[in-house]
């Protein structure tokens, strides 16, 4: 044991996990350290002088918003946890700017909803003091809560991140795809339910766009890139709601374009698909997402008795007058 004298003030101990201990390409922040056993193979203390601490941005083009030596946290559910788009984004950045010094942390946890993520910000994100948070939420919310609850929790997340001085890129969720495109995959949701869930993601994308504007955050429209591109959607999705590696590439390209990556920079990766996806996204028609708040005068005040019925097939709620059977629907 070698004693180390530290000067007064705050100090940070950063633990780098062994590759065999559930860490893939990046550092991970996924769970409490209580009862979490790790093997520390090496501890290294580095004294950073003022000269060494000065950032040199020369290795990164001025138009790219991520700068040398910054910290970036990927935040989200299993779509982030599985690392398809974080892995692809890191690959592209490292290939184009080899000495970028950017540290990427993956804080995706499978099955997370917005309120789960909001509750763990103080544990998994804020202590890292990241410069950027790139996060994708909404898939699990679409299956469990109404858009108003999603909006409330999402707004709280953005508020806390912005109050901490963190810059944010919001991703619209990748949406849902009919299982019939994947004959070998396990069946999870019926076709009518998948259609309804995909429509719900439209509402969530509208909420995300609105809240990002409110908080001054960037938006990478992954939903449009995956659903409205020239590529068949089943080529980009691994199952009903998870993107595959190619879907992850499309999401990563969408994020990087939002952060200022140029066509010329994508060409530097020497991977023709990076450049192809960049050009595909340029030609995606961006349609406004619908508001989930629909106001409808169903029947006049005299018709007080009615029956409501929900339909997954057309993602609508219909109201029938008990008096004469008249029908009014709201999608």
């Amino acid at each position: 044991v070698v004693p180390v004298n530290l000067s007064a003030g705050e100090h940070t101990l950063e633990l780098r996990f062994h590759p065999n201990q559930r860490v893939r390409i990046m550092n991970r922040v996924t769970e409490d350290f209580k009862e979490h056993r790790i093997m520390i193979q090496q501890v290294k203390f580095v004294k950073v002088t003022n000269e060494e601490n000065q950032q040199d941005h020369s290795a990164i083009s001025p138009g790219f918003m991520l700068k040398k030596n910054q910290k970036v946290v990927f935040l989200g559910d299993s779509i982030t946890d599985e690392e398809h788009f974080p892995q692809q984004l890191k690959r592209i950045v490292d290939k184009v700017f080899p000495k970028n010094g950017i540290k990427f942390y993956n804080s995706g946890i499978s099955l997370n909803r917005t309120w789960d993520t909001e509750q763990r910000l103080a544990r998994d994100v804020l202590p890292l003091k990241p410069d950027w948070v790139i996060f994708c939420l909404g898939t699990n919310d679409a299956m469990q809560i109404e858009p108003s609850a999603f909006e409330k929790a999402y707004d709280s997340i953005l508020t806390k991140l912005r109050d901490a001085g963190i810059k944010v890129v919001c991703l619209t969720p990748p949406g849902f795809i009919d299982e019939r495109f994947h004959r070998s995959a396990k069946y999870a949701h019926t076709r009518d339910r998948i259609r309804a869930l995909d429509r719900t993601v439209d509402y969530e994308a509208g909420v995300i766009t609105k809240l990002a504007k409110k908080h001054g955050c960037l938006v990478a429209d992954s939903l449009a890139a995956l659903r409205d591109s020239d590529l068949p959607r089943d080529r980009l999705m691994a199952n009903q709601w998870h993107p595959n590696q190619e879907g992850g590439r499309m999401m990563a390209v969408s994020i990087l374009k939002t952060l200022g990556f140029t066509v010329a920079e994508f060409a530097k990766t020497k991977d023709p698909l990076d450049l192809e996806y960049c050009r595909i996204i340029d030609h995606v028609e961006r349609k406004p997402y619908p508001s989930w708040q629909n106001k409808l005068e169903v029947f006049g005040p005299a018709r007080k008795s009615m029956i409501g019925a929900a339909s997954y097939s057309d993602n609508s709620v219909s109201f029938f007058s008990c008096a004469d059977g008249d029908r009014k629907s709201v999608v």
Side-chain angles (χ1 to χ4, degrees), residues 265-278:
E265 286 162 347
F266 281 114
K268 291 180 181 178
T269 68
K270 306 300 182 182
D271 187 327
L273 286 179
D274 294 335
L275 187 58
E276 178 187 345
Y277 285 18
C278 170

Side-chain angles (χ1 to χ4, degrees), residues 29-31 76-78 81 107-112 120 123-124:
V29 182
T30 59
E31 55 192 83
D77 49 31
S78 59
D81 191 17
S107 186
I109 296 183
S110 295
L111 300 178
N112 255 204
R120 65 185 180 88
R123 182 193 72 191
D124 290 353

Side-chain angles (χ1 to χ4, degrees), residues 2-49:
V2 179
V4 177
N5 295 321
L6 298 176
S7 60
E10 295 184 358
H11 299 82
T12 300
L13 177 63
E14 181 176 314
L15 300 179
R16 295 279 177 131
F17 289 82
H18 188 274
N20 294 331
Q21 293 183 321
R22 199 175 172 252
V23 182
R24 302 179 185 104
I25 282 189
M26 307 164 194
N27 305 310
R28 295 183 68 81
V29 182
T30 59
E31 55 192 83
D32 286 325
F33 286 107
K34 181 180 179 182
E35 310 251 345
H36 182 61
R37 294 178 175 84
I38 60 172
M39 178 175 59
I40 300 177
Q41 295 181 311
Q42 182 181 15
V43 177
K44 182 179 181 182
F45 291 92
V46 179
K47 184 179 180 181
V48 180
T49 64

Side-chain angles (χ1 to χ4, degrees), residues 30-177:
T30 59
E31 55 192 83
D32 286 325
F33 286 107
K34 181 180 179 182
E35 310 251 345
H36 182 61
R37 294 178 175 84
I38 60 172
M39 178 175 59
I40 300 177
Q41 295 181 311
Q42 182 181 15
V43 177
K44 182 179 181 182
F45 291 92
V46 179
K47 184 179 180 181
V48 180
T49 64
N50 290 333
E51 181 180 351
E52 291 171 330
N53 200 33
Q54 293 178 355
Q55 291 187 354
D56 175 15
H57 303 315
S58 60
I60 295 179
S61 65
F64 186 42
M65 296 183 192
L66 301 188
K67 299 304 178 184
K68 191 173 182 179
N69 300 324
Q70 287 189 330
K71 290 182 180 179
V72 178
V73 172
F74 295 105
L75 181 64
D77 49 31
S78 59
I79 293 168
T80 302
D81 191 17
E82 292 180 0
E83 291 197 346
H84 291 318
F85 79 85
Q87 191 179 77
Q88 293 277 17
L89 187 146
K90 185 178 187 301
R91 172 189 62 80
I92 295 171
V93 172
D94 288 348
K95 189 73 175 179
V96 178
F97 305 121
K99 298 181 179 180
N100 58 75
I102 299 172
K103 294 181 180 178
F104 293 99
Y105 296 81
N106 190 325
S107 186
I109 296 183
S110 295
L111 300 178
N112 255 204
R113 285 86 32 115
T114 45
W115 71 84
D116 298 310
T117 305
E118 177 194 5
Q119 292 173 358
R120 65 185 180 88
L121 283 179
R123 182 193 72 191
D124 290 353
V125 178
L126 300 183
L128 292 171
K129 298 181 180 179
D131 299 280
W132 289 88
V133 164
I134 299 173
F135 81 105
C136 181
L137 288 167
T139 297
N140 296 312
D141 298 82
M143 292 185 269
Q144 298 182 38
I145 64 174
E146 62 177 2
S148 61
F150 173 80
E151 180 171 355
K152 181 180 179 181
Y154 203 101
D155 188 36
S156 179
I157 291 172
L158 291 186
T159 298
K160 291 177 180 179
L161 292 176
R162 297 299 290 174
D163 286 350
I166 301 169
K167 295 180 280 292
V168 180
V169 180
C170 306
L171 277 71
T172 53
F176 292 78
I177 185 173

